[in-house]
Structures are given as C-alpha cells and as structure tokens.
Amino acid sequence: MDFQLGPEQRALRDGMRELLAGRFGRERLRAAVEAPALDRALWRELAEAGFFALRLPEADGGVGLGLPEAVLLMEETGRALLPGPLVACQLLAGAVDGVATGERIVALAETAVGPEPGAGSGLPPGAGAGPYPGAAGDGPLWEHPADCDALITLGDAEGADPVDQGRAAGAYRSAATDVLCAPFASVDPLTPLARITGIVRKTPLPLDVPRLRREAALLTAAQQLGSAARTVETAVAYAREREQFGAPIGSFQAVKHLCAQMLVRAEIARSAVYAASVTEGVLDVTAAKLLADEAAVRNARDCLQVHGGMGFTWESDVHLHLKRAWLRAARWGGVAAAEEALAAGLIA
C-alpha cells in the first residue's frame, strides 16, 4: 500500500498550511489564548477555501474529496493549534444548514441516552422534552459553548468508543439556547468547556452514528498527529539554536536521542492515521487514535525537556500543545478501551 501523497494532495496540504500561517500565526494564537472566542471571519475564510465542504459532492456545492484529504487538512489544524469544533463542523457540513458555508458553528457531544424527544410529555417528537436525568453532576462536556449555534448529541455513552459498533445510538440536534449548561474549567485555555446539565428540546437526525464516531476519532487523531509533528520541529529548532559549553545542545547525545524518538513516534502515528483513512476499518481507526494520542502527548513532554523545562512557562507555546493533546486524548475513545478492543481483535 502506497501512502505517498499525490501532487494534488500535497498542494491541498501546502495551501492549508499557508492559509493558517497567514491567518493564525503566533501573534493570533497568543491573542486567542487571552480571548478564546472563535474568529468568525477566519471560520468563513476556511469555508470559502472548501474546508468544511471538502467531502460534500460537487453537485451539492462541495469539493468532492474523501477522508484521506480531510485527514491532511485536520493535521494542519493540529500543527497550528487552531481552536474550534473543527471535527464536528467537518462531519456535519452536509447535515446542518449553514455549516458548510461557515455561517453556523456546531459541536458534537456524547450523552447518556435521555428520554426520547417528547417522551412522557404528550408532545410530538422534538416539541419539548425535558432535561434528561442523571446529567446534573456528570453530564457530558461541550466545547466552545458560547460560539456554537447548535449542539449535536450522540446518544448512549456506552457506545462512545469507536469500537462499540453494535450498540444502539442516535443523533439529536438542539439549538444552543435549548441546552442548559454550567461553566467547566478547561485544561486548554483555547478550548472553553461547559458541563451539559439538561436539554430542553432536541430533534432526531438521520445520521450513521457509528460511522460518525469512527470518523470523529480518526480526524481527532489527525489533529494529534499534526501537533506531534509540530513539537518535533520545535524541539529540533531549539536544539540547533540553544548552546551550552560552546556547542548546540542538539549535538549532545541525550538531546539527539530524545529528538529522534519524537520523530519515530510521529512517523509511526502518521502511517497508522493515513492507513486508517484509506481502510476506514474500526480497529485501524482505534489503533491510529491510540498511536496519535501517545505521539502528541509524549512528544509535547519531550519538547518541554529539550527546552529545559521552560515550556512550563506561560511565554512558551509548548505547553499549549501538551494541554490540547491531553484534551483530545480524552475524546472519542480512551486508552484502556482502545487497548482492550485491539487485544480482542488479535484473538478473534
């Protein structure tokens, strides 16, 4: 299987990297840390570049490309630490009006199964179901609640892991004003969170939820891959520049080995993510997410070590990569569930 990018794929990747470098450089990144509201102008610019409509058919105004190309673009957003519910908007561009054009922003959240819309109220579906039970203290998290126009919830938390394909699940749409939530402290300053405490109204959506979860896991893995690759570049650049005892620290064996291991992790994750985008297999996606999570988190930590720990200070961007990697690692399937699924797949 050949995973070398074709000329059009390289042009697509390079174009997105150039766009993000021009519109979301370091100054904009640091400004977003202080004021994490999403840049609607940039969102629309992404839409004009075909980011959200990438996989929609050309007859519907889309670009007509596939999952491998979506992975390439998500990798670039991970490199740039671009905030926002990018995965959700990529996946729901054809399901929610205005998302493909950047006019509306939607988020995805996995919830426990609540009452069916209208259940027990005597109202028709979607006409006013009450808050679902059991969500007050342990409700799911909602990213960028203040910036979203709608929230898409995926029912049955037990089916949250991409490997649990057999469990019943459903997708529901709610307007942002119909979702009750409470502020929740986020480890990532660029990703505001809220705890969902109830949903006043929700409408069923005819979506393939297992596929949605699987693709969300893969696109999140692509973002982790981008972050892992970026921290390799950051560490190597610093190791070449910083001198100790009259020589660049990159010439010291301990630092050299650290950087080499970072590159190995990133390239192994890249192979797994690219392969899963072609096969779309459940276990392939699970393995790709597991490897990309490990690469993003451990590379960010090693990058801090190369920087002599200065990455823990507010001035460095390295801590932002680590915090975002932690956040993404908790989405769409955890480490333990992924390892169990892969082990079961080996003996099946």
Side-chain angles (χ1 to χ4, degrees):
M1 192 174 290
D2 182 9
F3 293 125
Q4 293 295 322
L5 302 184
E8 293 182 354
Q9 290 175 322
R10 285 197 295 271
L12 181 70
R13 179 200 60 190
D14 295 345
M16 179 55 61
R17 187 174 298 184
E18 184 178 347
L19 170 64
L20 293 178
R23 294 286 287 109
F24 197 75
R26 188 171 190 277
E27 288 186 5
R28 185 68 189 88
L29 171 67
R30 301 305 299 195
V33 170
E34 301 299 330
L38 295 181
D39 184 344
R40 290 272 181 167
L42 174 57
W43 210 263
R44 286 191 291 273
E45 195 168 343
L46 287 173
E48 290 172 2
F51 182 88
F52 301 116
L54 185 79
R55 297 174 62 197
L56 295 182
E58 294 183 26
D60 297 334
V63 184
L65 296 178
L67 194 56
E69 286 76 20
V71 160
L72 293 177
L73 296 191
M74 283 298 169
E75 183 181 345
E76 292 307 311
T77 65
R79 282 177 55 90
L81 279 174
L82 185 66
L86 297 158
V87 170
C89 289
Q90 239 286 323
L91 295 175
L92 297 167
V96 179
D97 292 342
V99 173
T101 58
E103 298 171 16
R104 288 184 179 177
I105 298 175
V106 297
L108 275 171
E110 297 176 291
T111 71
V113 175
E116 291 298 320
S121 66
L123 299 174
Y132 55 83
D138 56 356
L141 296 177
W142 178 11
E143 296 184 11
H144 298 273
D147 292 297
C148 289
D149 302 293
L151 176 68
I152 310 301
T153 52
L154 304 181
D156 195 349
E158 290 183 344
D161 191 275
V163 302
D164 290 334
Q165 298 295 301
R167 295 183 183 276
Y172 299 89
R173 174 182 175 177
S174 299
T177 52
D178 289 334
V179 181
L180 309 177
C181 60
F184 187 87
S186 174
V187 67
D188 177 15
L190 287 157
T191 308
L193 294 174
R195 177 78 78 187
I196 299 173
T197 58
I199 298 177
V200 176
R201 183 190 300 268
K202 52 186 180 179
T203 304
L205 285 178
L207 297 175
D208 183 345
V209 173
R211 182 183 183 88
L212 195 65
R213 285 192 168 115
R214 187 169 65 247
E215 293 185 352
L218 181 60
L219 296 182
T220 303
Q223 291 182 306
Q224 294 282 57
L225 169 61
S227 179
R230 182 61 177 164
T231 49
V232 174
E233 296 169 1
T234 303
V236 170
Y238 186 77
R240 285 173 171 163
E241 171 190 330
R242 173 69 171 168
E243 293 188 356
Q244 279 289 352
F245 311 114
I249 62 172
S251 64
F252 303 145
Q253 191 174 55
V255 177
K256 194 183 299 182
H257 286 187
L258 206 59
C259 293
Q261 190 57 49
M262 292 172 67
L263 179 62
V264 170
R265 281 192 213 105
E267 290 306 308
I268 290 176
R270 185 186 307 281
S271 299
V273 171
Y274 285 7
S277 73
V278 175
T279 67
E280 301 186 36
V282 174
L283 292 181
D284 290 342
V285 171
T286 303
K289 179 67 164 47
L290 188 65
L291 289 168
D293 286 342
E294 181 188 23
V297 172
R298 293 188 62 183
N299 277 15
R301 285 176 169 167
D302 284 353
C303 189
L304 295 180
Q305 293 302 315
V306 172
H307 281 73
M310 68 171 279
F312 286 106
T313 66
W314 191 250
E315 290 75 16
S316 173
D317 295 339
V318 182
H319 74 100
L320 297 176
H321 279 280
L322 180 57
K323 291 169 180 174
R324 186 72 63 84
W326 279 333
L327 193 67
R328 288 181 183 138
R331 300 296 313 276
W332 309 111
V335 171
E339 290 176 342
E340 288 292 335
L342 292 171
L346 288 174
I347 59 176

